[in-house]
């Protein structure tokens, strides 16, 4: 899956296929990835209304196995992995000793003592190193499986129908944040009902050598349903509308889960100590007493698009900072997520603007997410 030349971005097993489809490629976290195939707006709308097919093989897969695998994960991560049932998955985080977020993760329980940890591409090595270091003293093995998997995602309201035609796996019985082994188009896969778009969808973990066969089968099966190939650009606007955080934007080592409004993922009640526990207890107390800046949604009254790093202002004073911003194809307006002072975080707060090249453009403060799919 990777280029042998260290100075070049790594390439996924689907690289030649993306280029044959005319994809605009970009370097993302050291990987050459498709940004878009045509119109990113059309790709976005396809996922909201029909279905989209993504190559996510840049994500970092790490397997943790052994008699004390769950004890290691409970020590290393902030969530309670002991309560994850067989075939289920959980969103969680790995933090530094000072409580700063190293990455947000999904952990799948594949067997009695086998877990698959999926890290963001930009942090995969950091997470692997941290888990390896934290495994000292535990009867468990941490294995780098990034080259063992290609990852395809089918997302959108038609995704279940597209996938159903290619597998005899029980998709109807597969709950959100669950995974089961099966075959799709004759290809062995871990079929997970997870995603990063705000829509129903599936992520398919397969051997790299099977990726192209599976992509082609999904493309053919989805033709009548309106499925289109989708790049990272529309994935970003989809997750932004759904209010989902992106590492390096809404999450970083300078923030704790409580700063990000995600304190619910920290499970103090679990058995044993875990890395960052004391710092996170203090962060929880601070957040309860006097909230720091709060993550909010902003919707433009005009047409100018906010970008990460732009100042949020009230009456000429800076009260926050934009973390992500883009035009929203669903709302038809520019939107942003931003950390703002708690005094200005309530939906409908008047007088809030974003400093866009010296002009204070008016924005409405709204609750996240901007978009929620109809069940």
């Amino acid at each position: 899956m990777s280029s042998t030349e260290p100075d070049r971005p790594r390439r996924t097993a689907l690289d030649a296929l993306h280029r044959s489809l005319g994809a605009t490629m970009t370097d993302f976290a050291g990987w050459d990835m498709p940004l878009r195939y045509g119109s990113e707006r059309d790709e976005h709308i396809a996922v909201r209304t029909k279905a989209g097919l993504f190559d996510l093989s840049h994500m970092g897969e790490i397997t943790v196995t052994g008699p004390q695998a769950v004890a290691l994960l409970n020590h290393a991560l902030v969530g309670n992995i002991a309560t994850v049932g067989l075939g289920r998955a959980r969103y969680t985080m790995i933090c530094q000793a000072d409580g700063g977020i190293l990455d947000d993760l999904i952990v799948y329980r594949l067997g009695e003592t086998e877990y698959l940890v999926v890290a963001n591409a930009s942090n995969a090595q950091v997470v692997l190193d941290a888990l390896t270091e934290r495994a000292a003293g535990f009867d468990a093995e941490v294995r780098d499986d990034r080259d063992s998997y290609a990852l395809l995602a089918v997302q959108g309201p038609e995704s279940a129908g597209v996938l159903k035609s290619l597998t005899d796996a029980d998709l109807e019985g597969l709950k959100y944040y669950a995974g089961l082994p099966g075959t799709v188009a004759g290809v062995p896969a871990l079929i997970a009902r997870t995603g990063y778009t705000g829509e129903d969808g599936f992520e398919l973990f397969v051997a790299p050598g099977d990726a192209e066969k599976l992509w082609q089968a999904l493309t053919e099966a989805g033709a009548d349903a309106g499925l289109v190939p989708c790049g990272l650009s529309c994935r970003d606007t989809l997750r932004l509308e759904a209010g989902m955080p992106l590492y390096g934007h809404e999450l970083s080592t300078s923030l704790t889960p409580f700063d990000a409004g995600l304190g619910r993922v920290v499970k103090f009640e679990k058995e044993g100590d875990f890395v960052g526990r004391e710092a996170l207890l203090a962060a929880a107390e601070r957040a309860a007493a006097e909230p720091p800046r709060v993550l909010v949604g902003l919707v433009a009254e005009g047409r100018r698009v906010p970008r990460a790093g732009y100042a949020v202002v009230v009456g000429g004073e800076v009260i926050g900072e934009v973390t992500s911003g883009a035009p929203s194809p669903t709302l038809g307006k520019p939107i942003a997520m931003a950390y703002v002072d708690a005094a200005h975080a309530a939906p409908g707060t008047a007088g809030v603007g974003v400093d866009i090249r010296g002009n204070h453009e008016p924005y409405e403060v709204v609750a996240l997410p901007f978009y929620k799919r109809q069940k």
Side-chain angles (χ1 to χ4, degrees), residues 84-89 108-111 174-175 177-181 191:
V84 179
L86 199 59
R88 298 308 301 265
Y108 298 88
R109 186 177 179 190
L110 304 184
L174 188 63
K175 296 177 181 174
Y177 266 71
L180 81 169
I191 305 167

Side-chain angles (χ1 to χ4, degrees), residues 233-246:
S233 187
C234 83
R235 189 169 183 250
D236 191 46
T237 52
L238 288 160
R239 71 90 195 167
L240 176 56
E241 287 184 349
M244 294 176 167
L246 175 63

Side-chain angles (χ1 to χ4, degrees), residues 170-225:
D170 179 17
L171 298 184
E172 287 181 13
L174 188 63
K175 296 177 181 174
Y176 186 52
Y177 266 71
L180 81 169
T183 58
V184 183
V187 169
L190 169 64
I191 305 167
R193 200 163 207 153
T194 45
Y196 194 50
T197 62
E199 297 297 338
D200 187 21
F202 301 85
E203 295 184 320
L204 308 171
F205 296 83
V206 300
D210 290 330
E212 191 165 334
K213 177 185 175 183
L214 181 56
W215 179 284
Q216 299 287 20
L218 289 163
T219 299
E220 289 169 21
D224 291 341

Side-chain angles (χ1 to χ4, degrees), residues 72-79 95-97 134 266-278 280-281:
L72 161 59
L73 290 170
N74 259 5
H75 166 70
L77 312 179
V78 301
C95 290
Q96 300 178 145
R134 296 175 189 186
V266 182
K267 302 300 181 186
F268 293 117
E269 72 277 9
K270 66 178 174 176
E271 198 175 315
D273 196 13
F274 62 92
V275 177
R277 182 187 178 95
E278 284 186 29
L280 289 168
L281 271 171

